[in-house]
Amino acid sequence: MQPIPTLTTARLTLRPMRSEDWAAYRRLMGSERAQYMGGPFSDAAAWGMFCSDHAQWDLFGCGALMIDETVTGACVGQVGINAGPLFPEFELGWFVYPDVEGRGYAREAAEAMLRWAKEVRQLPSLVSYIDPANARSAGLAVRLGAELDPKAERPSPDDLVYRHY
C-alpha cells in the first residue's frame, strides 16, 4: 500500500482528504460547474465519488489530494490521479472552487502531482480525459505539456485524451 503523500509547492499544500472537505466538494459536484465531469450529481453520487477519490490510495497507490493555500489553510480545490476499472490509464484530474479561479492554483497543483506520478510513483503513463467543451481544462493540459492523443482508449467516446507522458 502506497502511503498518501503530502506535497508542497510555493503557495500550496496538497494533502489527504478529510471529512470536513465533503461540504464544499458536494456543493461543486451538485452545481452546473460539474457539467464537464458528467454532473451535476446527486448527493449520493457525489458521496460515492468523494469516497472513491480517497479509497483509490489503498486500492491503486494513487488518488486525490485536496489543495490548500499554505498561508491561509483554506481548501481551494482538488488534484488527483484516478485509476481503476473506469479509467483505461492513470488519469490526472483537477478542479478549483469558483472563488479562487484564475490564480494558477490548478496548474501549480497539477504540476506537483505530475512530478510525483512520474518521479515517485513511477506510473508507466499519465493522461487527462477532458470533455471537448471544457476549453479551460484542455488549455491547462497543453500548458502542462500534454499532447492530444486521438488514438488513446478513453472512458467515454466523446472525451479528448491529453497525454502527459
Side-chain angles (χ1 to χ4, degrees):
M1 178 181 354
Q2 181 80 20
I4 302 175
T6 296
L7 308 176
T8 58
T9 71
R11 303 179 297 163
L12 305 172
T13 301
L14 313 180
R15 56 146 178 96
M17 298 171 69
R18 300 188 290 245
S19 61
E20 56 265 26
D21 297 321
W22 164 243
Y25 183 99
R26 186 187 96 226
R27 279 191 303 277
L28 180 83
M29 292 304 172
S31 75
E32 286 301 316
R33 291 184 47 85
Q35 67 182 325
Y36 300 127
M37 296 179 271
F41 299 99
S42 69
D43 284 357
W47 178 248
M49 293 164 58
F50 186 82
C51 291
S52 174
D53 289 347
H54 179 70
Q56 288 180 71
W57 286 107
D58 283 344
L59 297 172
F60 304 108
C62 58
L65 298 174
M66 300 312 289
I67 306 168
D68 286 353
E69 290 177 324
T70 301
V71 172
T72 67
C75 184
V76 297
Q78 184 190 74
V79 64
I81 298 175
N82 293 300
L86 302 179
F87 300 93
E89 293 185 64
F90 291 97
E91 189 242 0
L92 175 63
W94 53 81
F95 68 77
V96 294
Y97 296 122
D99 57 327
V100 297
E101 276 192 340
R103 297 183 191 177
Y105 290 161
R107 181 177 182 166
E108 194 171 324
E111 286 173 340
M113 196 65 142
L114 178 58
R115 272 192 309 279
W116 178 86
K118 194 170 190 179
E119 297 170 10
V120 176
R121 182 63 172 76
Q122 299 180 341
L123 296 177
S125 66
L126 191 63
V127 299
S128 290
Y129 302 115
I130 299 176
D131 185 296
N134 193 347
R136 291 184 77 174
S137 279
L140 177 52
V142 170
R143 288 191 302 281
L144 291 169
E147 295 182 1
L148 199 56
D149 184 351
K151 295 181 182 177
E153 194 176 342
R154 59 208 73 226
S156 170
D158 296 331
D159 285 346
L160 298 176
V161 181
Y162 285 86
R163 183 163 303 283
H164 298 281
Y165 65 90

